[in-house]
Amino acid sequence: MARSRKKLGEILVRNGACSSAQVDKALKIAQGAGKRIGEALIEAGFVKEKDVSKALAEQFGMDFVDLSTQDGMATVEPDLIPEDLIKKHFILPQAKSGNRMSLIIHDPVNIELMDMLRFRLNVEIDPKLSSKSDIKVFIENHFRAGGSIVDTKQVDADESLVTDSIDKSIDSSVDKSMDKSIDVSGDDAPIVKLWNRILTEAIGMRASDIHLEPMTDRVRLRYRIDGVCIERDNLPKRMQRALLSRIKLMSGMNIAEKRIPQDGRIKLPLDEETTVDFRVSACPIYHGESVVMRILRPDAVKIGLPNLGFEQDNLDAFNKIIRRPNGIFLVTGPTGSGKTTTLYSALDVLNRPDKKIITAEDPVEYNFEGINQCQVKESIGFTFNAILRSMLRQAPNIILVGEIRDKEVGEIAIQAALTGHLVFSTLHTNDAPSAITRLIDMGIKPFLVASSIQAIMAQRLIRVLYDGSKELAEPHEIDHKYLQLIGMTPEEAEGRVHKAVPCGEAPNGYKGRKAIFEMMQMDAQIREAAFQLSPVSELRKIALQNGMRPLVEDGKLKVLSGTTTPDEIARVSQVEEGTGVID
C-alpha cells in the first residue's frame, strides 16, 4: 500500500515557515478563489515563495535547488535543451547522462509538462525543484532579447557602445547624405544596431531608466540602476540627430517636431511570452532634446507582498487594511519611491473572480488581467474626474486612483469610500501624517478626511546588499555619523552592521531594492486631531505614541538584519543631522 503524502501546510508549519492559524486562513482563501494552498499562503504574505518550494520538494521527495546562490546557478547548463523550452515553461537543465537528464522545474504537479518534455527531449527526467521567481530571474539574467545567452557579470562599463563598424557606418551615411538625412528605419542601419545594443544592455543591467542627454560636445548616456544614475557612455555629438530621430520613430513621436515636449511608447519582445515596455519622454533643452526612457518590466509589480520589504507587524497590518470593505488607503512618497508597485501588489492579492476592480491612471504603466484599467486622456475630456464619476456607476468593489491631484478628485474618492468602496490612491508627501493636512489644504472638509481614511503609508526605496559578497563591518569601518543619523549606537551596531563589498554580480555591492515603510493607522485620537485641524507635528506625535514606526526606525531594522547599510538609510530617508527625524 502506497504511503500517503504529507500535506503542504503541515510541512510548512513543522518547518516554522508559518502557523497553523495562517494555514487555515489561506485554505479558506484558496477554496474561495480556486487556488492552491501554496499560492494563497504566498499572496496573503504568510510565507515566502522559497519556503513553499522547499516544502513542495519535501512533499514530493525531490531535491531543492537554490538558484539565488552562486552554487545553485553554477549547476545549470542552459545549452542542453532548446532555448524556447526554457523560456516558455520556466525549466532549467542541469546535466545529462546517457538517456537521463536532471531538470529543474517549479511545479511538481504538472504531469502533462513532464510527459511532453520526455517526448520532446527523448530522455528520462530526474526532476528537481526551485522557485518560479528564481528560475525567471536566472533566465532574464542569462538570455538577451535577441536570443543569445548573456552573462551580465561580463558587462564592461568602460567599453564604448559605439563599435568601430557602427562609428564608420554612421560617418559614411552622413557623408553620403550631405548631412541631410540618415537612415534610421532599416534593420541594418548602424544607428538601429546602436539603439538595440543600448536597450538590451539596459534590460540586462536591471536599469529602470535610460537617459540620453545632449551636451555641448557630446551626448551623455546614463542608466538608473537601483535608483542611482550611472554614466554608461559619452556618444559623439555628430550622432545626436540620428539618435533622436531613431528613438522618436520607434516610439511614435513626430520626428520633425523639436520645439515642444513629446511622449511615446516602445514595445520590445524578449521572448514568446514576455514583452518589455518603454515609456519615452522627449523634452527640448539648450543643446537639443533630452530623452528619458522608463523601462516597464511586466513582472516588476508582481514580486509579492512579502518581497516588498515589510517587517512582519507592518505586513500583518497591511493585509488587514487591504481586505476591509470600504475606506481609503493612501500611499505617499516622492516620485520613484515604489508607490505604484506597492498598490499593484495589493491589487494582485485582491484580484479574484468575486471582486470587481477599476483603476484610473495617467498613464497605465502595467496591464493586469482581470482588472479594468482606464487611461486618462485630457485632450478629449477623459479626466480623472470623469473616469471616477463613470466608474462609480460600474458597481466596483475596489477602486484605484493613480493620484489625488486636486479637490474634486479627492472629494469623489472620499464619497466612493463613504458609500461602500475600498479606494487606493497616492499622494506626494514626505511622511504619512502630512497626507492629512495636504488633503485639507486642497479644500476637502476635515470631517470627510477624518472619517474616510483607514490608513496612510509613507515609503522609500533602499538599495539591498548583495548576499553573495556582503561582509560584517569592523568597528573602525563604521561611520558613526551615519549611525547617529539613524539613531543607532555603536554598541548596537557592533557585530550586526554589514558593509557593501563590490563583486562581479554587484559592482557597488548592492543588488536590487526594497522599501522602508511608515504605517499610520487612523484611530479615534488621530481622527479627532484631523477634525480639529491640528498641525502635522501634533498628528505625528499622536501617531508615534500609538505605535507608528517612523521611516528611519524601519530602516534601522533593515540595517540590523543585514539587508542594507546605515549610509543608505540616511541617504534615502533625508534625515536631519543629529535628529533622526524626516525633513
Side-chain angles (χ1 to χ4, degrees), residues 244-439:
L244 293 173
S245 296
R246 173 59 186 171
I247 205 62
K248 285 183 176 182
L249 182 66
M250 292 173 71
S251 57
M253 297 182 192
N254 183 352
I255 294 178
E257 182 57 75
K258 302 176 182 178
R259 302 164 299 171
I260 59 175
Q262 296 188 72
D263 294 307
R265 290 188 86 126
I266 299 171
K267 287 185 178 292
L268 179 68
L270 288 184
D271 52 47
E272 293 180 0
E273 296 184 349
T274 308
T275 299
V276 174
D277 278 9
F278 295 82
R279 198 177 78 203
V280 188
S281 171
C283 180
I285 60 174
Y286 188 75
H287 294 294
E289 290 175 274
S290 172
V291 174
V292 177
M293 307 173 67
R294 171 68 61 87
I295 302 175
L296 305 173
R297 296 173 178 269
D299 58 344
V301 290
K302 293 186 178 182
I303 61 176
L305 289 178
N307 298 321
L308 291 177
F310 284 107
E311 299 298 325
Q312 192 59 50
D313 56 346
N314 276 343
L315 180 59
D316 292 342
F318 186 86
N319 274 305
K320 289 179 182 177
I321 292 164
I322 65 175
R323 286 175 170 80
R324 291 180 181 175
N326 55 54
I328 295 181
F329 179 70
L330 292 175
V331 180
T332 75
T335 301
S337 59
K339 300 187 296 295
T340 300
T341 300
T342 298
L343 289 180
Y344 267 122
S345 296
L347 291 187
D348 196 35
V349 172
L350 299 172
N351 186 17
R352 302 198 302 269
D354 61 330
K355 300 288 184 183
K356 184 176 180 68
I357 303 174
I358 303 181
T359 74
E361 304 170 68
D362 184 21
V364 173
E365 294 187 353
Y366 302 95
N367 293 315
F368 268 72
E369 186 177 349
I371 295 178
N372 303 274
Q373 297 174 268
C374 300
Q375 166 76 56
V376 171
K377 294 181 181 177
E378 299 276 357
S379 58
I380 60 172
F382 199 49
T383 61
F384 271 116
N385 307 342
I387 293 173
L388 279 169
R389 290 196 185 92
S390 176
M391 69 168 57
L392 290 176
R393 294 192 288 272
Q394 296 279 313
N397 300 104
I398 300 166
I399 295 170
L400 183 145
V401 184
E403 181 186 349
I404 296 180
R405 299 180 177 179
D406 53 42
K407 176 185 177 182
E408 190 171 1
V409 173
E411 286 182 339
I412 298 173
I414 285 174
Q415 290 300 328
L418 294 175
T419 53
H421 303 86
L422 180 61
V423 181
F424 295 110
S425 192
T426 69
L427 272 179
H428 289 287
T429 61
N430 283 336
D431 60 0
S434 298
I436 293 176
T437 55
R438 173 72 183 276
L439 291 172

Side-chain angles (χ1 to χ4, degrees), residues 6 91 122 211 225 259 353 370 374 417 449 451 459 487 523:
K6 295 178 183 177
I91 57 175
N122 193 28
H211 296 257
I225 300 174
R259 302 164 299 171
C374 300
V449 174
S451 58
Q459 69 176 70
D523 55 26

Side-chain angles (χ1 to χ4, degrees), residues 47-63:
V47 297
K48 296 180 179 179
E49 184 185 3
K50 192 170 293 184
D51 292 329
V52 172
S53 297
K54 287 179 179 178
L56 282 170
E58 181 179 340
Q59 185 183 28
F60 285 86
M62 297 180 182
D63 290 336

